[in-house]
Amino acid sequence: MLLEIDDVSLLYGRIQALHGISLTVDEGEIVALIGANGAGKSTTMRAISGIRPVASGSIRFDGEDITKLRADLRVRRGLCQAPEGRGIFPGMTVLENLDMGAYTRRDRAGIAQDLDRVLGLFPRLAERRRQQGGTLSGGEQQMLAVGRALMSRPKLLLLDEPSMGLAPMLIQQIFDIIVEINQQGTTVLLVEQNAQQALARAHRAYVLETGRIVKSGTGAELLHDPAVKEAYLGVA
Amino acid sequence: MTTVLDKVRSGREAVGDRWHHAPRWVRWALLAAVIAFFYALPNREFYQYLGPIPTPGANFTQVMFTVSIYVLLAVGLNIVVGFAGLLDLGYFGFFAVGAYTVAVLTSPSSDLKAMWPWLLAVPVAIALTMVSGVMLGTPTLRLRGDYLALVTLGFAEMIRIGAVSSEFLKGQRGFNQIPHPPGEFADGKPVFGVLDARPYYWLVLTLIILVVIGVRNLTHSRVGRAWISIREDEDAAQLMGVPTFKFKLWAFAAGAAIAGLAGALFAGKQNFVNSQNFELLNSIIILAAVIFGGSGNIVGAIVGGGLVAYMIERFRGIELFGVELYEYRFLFFGLVLVIMMIFRPEGLIPNRRRAAEFKDRRKEVTVGE
Ligand SMILES: Nc1ncnc2c1ncn2[C@@H]1O[C@H](COP(=O)(O)OP(=O)(O)OP(=O)(O)O)[C@@H](O)[C@H]1O
Ligand SMILES: [Mg+2]
């Protein structure tokens, strides 16, 4: 197991956002996490990346207990998150943003190689490399957030709604890119509103409801599950 | 109104563009000229030809010393506020720690009776301000911005009240006979005397140049990138592997150390330190100066600190309708700030990034509505 979350609870003040969540991600997988607004998907991501401490439970990554490890040290272990929404650095150019993604690395040659790779995956970013992040369109910012996370060359890439706010064409494209990233060897844990697309591409998936995992299975299984269909796929 | 403002803006941008596109030697030559100008400035033979620039109501050389101290403070605070984006409302508190450390260690009126030479006390003053910065920052920098603002405000007040009321710090009576910096001319006269403020000004000016070179190098390094990322989006910085707490603490400590240095210089020049030197208002003035000049930009901080300190003194001795403008200096100051915040929140000489962050935040506000 690359990532193993066991019975994790998380509190925001007195509000309990996660009630004993357990999930696993195996090396090489794409795992999707779906659920309604406010179900706790982003919270789960925050717990994994470490910007929010967990109240109880444990998180293991790559054979090591990281439950109490600082967020920046988790990045060094190979865990990197592209945050939800506008999580890029607005005053930095596209290149500077990508450079920040490689902050923990010192292997210049490897960084240059990954930069080429990211700009290859996102030609739009290549065109706008000297533009400030804050002036990019919403979709371009989304791509930048994903590309920046890739620059850390993570073992596990955490993506929080990478398709948010994108036009249908671009949604298709970003999912294709995610599959491509995965085929190039990066494990992906993906949070998505776009359940249809996510389930179609994921090896496995979990359904989150008010801070609890209520269902799990392969992507195909959930895609054809009547309850999931009704609740998340907009099919009666 | 806006057209005038736009014109000013495009004019300034044109100057900025020209600067960035000018050949390297032109930039160096201009920079050298500016530096030479400021070294020459406190000489009567020079400033008497500068028309309205010398202050009518105060000794211009003394004023220039005050201005230089403010510039040094603005450069230091700019690291904290401008680069790392931490709101420090009590920056002058560190200045006080620096000045009092020198006073306690060197003055014969101190209970310690250590009577060190000034130069020996300076590194101790810097170290102690740094330590107080770390002590103040460690519990607060983990919290979000508003806590820091409150705690720093409280810190500066605490230092001031401590200075007013504690027997050890001598309150209003203060410390006298603080020794001057060392050095003698060939004829045996001390370089740093009582009457002539110029040597002190030159000393501070030289230190400003050194500090600016250091800060510039720092901001172009990994440390600088970390600070900027924290300022722009702290969570994202952490998600990219930046140890945010550590770098915030560094920024805070570095800023404190510079204020400590400024305090030590001030004590060495004034030769007398008491509790009246450290009013809360000073902290606010420096913060306002940094924001006014363009926080996040070293040149902006220098210009802001210099202009604000100079303008306040410039009002001295000017009468309008029978009242001395100096009495109303903070009214003008406040007015200028308000106007500035409305039309140019990113400051006089903004940082290119900072401007984008402001736009981004405005967008966020409108999106959130
Ligand atoms: N900083 C916070 N303070 C207090 N409560 C929070 C905070 N962040 C999230 N919550 C609450 O925790 C719950 C889970 O939020 P979370 O952001 O994880 O939802 P989500 O599944 O990502 O939703 P969405 O699909 O809308 O992004 C929500 O009820 C939310 O209101
Ligand atoms: Mg979310």
Side-chain angles (χ1 to χ4, degrees), chain B residues 292 311-312 315 318 320 323-340:
Chain B
F292 175 76
M311 286 315 288
I312 286 175
F315 280 141
I318 301 179
L320 207 66
V323 285
E324 197 185 7
L325 283 186
Y326 187 70
E327 298 286 318
Y328 293 92
R329 61 197 187 276
F330 294 120
L331 181 71
F332 287 112
F333 182 51
L335 214 63
V336 169
L337 270 183
V338 169
I339 292 170
M340 191 77 187

Side-chain angles (χ1 to χ4, degrees), chain B residues 143-157:
Chain B
L143 308 169
R144 290 288 149 158
D146 8 1
Y147 292 97
L148 183 68
L150 278 178
V151 170
T152 49
L153 189 67
F155 163 73
E157 262 312 81

Side-chain angles (χ1 to χ4, degrees), chain B residues 101-171:
Chain B
T101 305
V102 168
V104 166
L105 288 176
T106 64
S107 165
S109 30
S110 155
D111 293 344
L112 282 190
K113 298 275 179 266
M115 294 173 67
W116 287 13
W118 178 82
L119 198 56
L120 198 59
V122 174
V124 179
I126 294 174
L128 216 63
T129 38
M130 233 172 143
V131 168
S132 58
V134 170
M135 271 166 38
L136 199 61
T138 304
T140 43
L141 288 172
R142 290 181 201 280
L143 308 169
R144 290 288 149 158
D146 8 1
Y147 292 97
L148 183 68
L150 278 178
V151 170
T152 49
L153 189 67
F155 163 73
E157 262 312 81
M158 215 174 73
I159 299 277
R160 190 186 65 84
I161 292 169
V164 169
S165 55
S166 106
E167 191 42 44
F168 185 66
L169 294 179
K170 306 280 174 229

